[in-house]
Amino acid sequence: MNILIIGATSGIGFNLWQHYSSSGHSVAVIGRRQPEIDRMIGLDPQHTLGYTCDIADTAVFNDAFSDIVGILGSLDLIIVCAGIGELNPGLDVLTELSTIRVNVYGWINCIDHAYNLLAEKGSGQLVAITSVGGLQPTPVAPSYSASKAFQINYIKSLQQKSRKTGVTVTEIRPGLVDTRMAKGDGLFWVMPLDKVSSSIIRAIERKRRRLMVTRRWRRMNIPSRHFA
C-alpha cells in the first residue's frame, strides 16, 4: 500500500509513520522540520520518502505532492495530521492569522488535493485528524477552536460528496493527547499517544467514517479551557 502522511514529524503523524513503514508499506511523509524528516528517512530508508514543507506555503506543498504521486505512482491512503495551535489569551492578531493560514488555508489545499486524487482513481481512503476542540470554543485560543470546527464541517461535506465515488473519508477527532499540541494549565484526560494511535489505526483499517478518541470524550459535552 502507498501511503502519504501530511504532518508526520511528531505526535500522531510520527506514530502512524512508524506503524505503516514497519509493516512494509511505502510511506511518503511531509513535515515542517527538516532534521526530523532526515531522521525518519535514516531510520527506514527502504519504506520512507520525505519532504519538508509548511502546508501554509501551498506552492511548495503542491510541488511536493506532485513529486510524491510521480514517484509512487498512486496513493491508497492519505492522512492529514498537519496543524498548529497556540494559546492566545491576549488575542494577538498575527497569532490568530497564522493559525488560520495553516489550519484553514493550507489544510484545505492538502485535503482537496488528496480528495481529488483519490476520487479520480475511484478508490482509496482520506483521513483527517481534527479535534474535540472544534466542538468546545475556548477564549484562550479562538482561531484554533474555530479552525477545527471548520475542519469538522468540511469533512462532513466531503463525506457526503464522496458517496458512490469509491473513496472513504474518515474523520478522527482526538481529545487531549500527550503531544506538544496539548497546552495549558490543569489539563485533564490527557491520553497516552500510543493508545490514541492504536485506536486510530483500527478505525482506518475498519474504514470508519468518524472516531472520537478516546471513548470518554464521546460522553462529554462541557466547555474546555484547553485544546488537543
Side-chain angles (χ1 to χ4, degrees), residues 25-125:
H25 300 290
S26 296
V27 187
V29 292
I30 292 177
R32 288 184 297 163
R33 291 176 287 276
Q34 184 67 54
E36 290 302 309
I37 291 290
D38 292 340
R39 183 169 76 92
M40 294 164 75
I41 295 171
L43 289 170
D44 192 351
Q46 182 179 355
H47 299 108
T48 306
L49 177 65
Y51 288 81
T52 303
C53 172
D54 183 336
I55 65 169
D57 190 335
T58 56
V60 173
F61 173 84
N62 294 347
D63 287 343
F65 189 84
S66 296
D67 281 352
I68 289 166
V69 174
I71 292 169
L72 296 183
S74 67
L75 293 170
D76 306 297
L77 171 61
I78 303 174
I79 304 171
V80 182
C81 303
I84 62 172
E86 298 294 338
L87 298 179
N88 189 22
L91 205 64
D92 174 70
V93 174
L94 294 180
T95 299
E96 297 296 279
L97 292 176
S98 176
T99 300
I100 295 302
R101 274 193 294 272
V102 175
N103 291 1
V104 176
Y105 181 75
W107 184 86
I108 282 181
N109 186 56
C110 295
I111 288 290
D112 286 4
H113 271 77
Y115 178 84
N116 288 336
L117 179 76
L118 298 178
E120 183 177 351
K121 189 176 73 161
S123 65
Q125 186 172 9

Side-chain angles (χ1 to χ4, degrees), residues 5 13-21 27 29 40 43-44 48:
I5 303 175
F14 184 83
N15 269 31
L16 296 179
W17 164 77
Q18 286 182 310
H19 168 77
Y20 288 115
S21 63
V27 187
V29 292
M40 294 164 75
L43 289 170
D44 192 351
T48 306

Side-chain angles (χ1 to χ4, degrees), residues 118-136:
L118 298 178
E120 183 177 351
K121 189 176 73 161
S123 65
Q125 186 172 9
L126 170 60
V127 179
I129 310 294
T130 63
S131 171
V132 297
L135 306 176
Q136 306 292 350

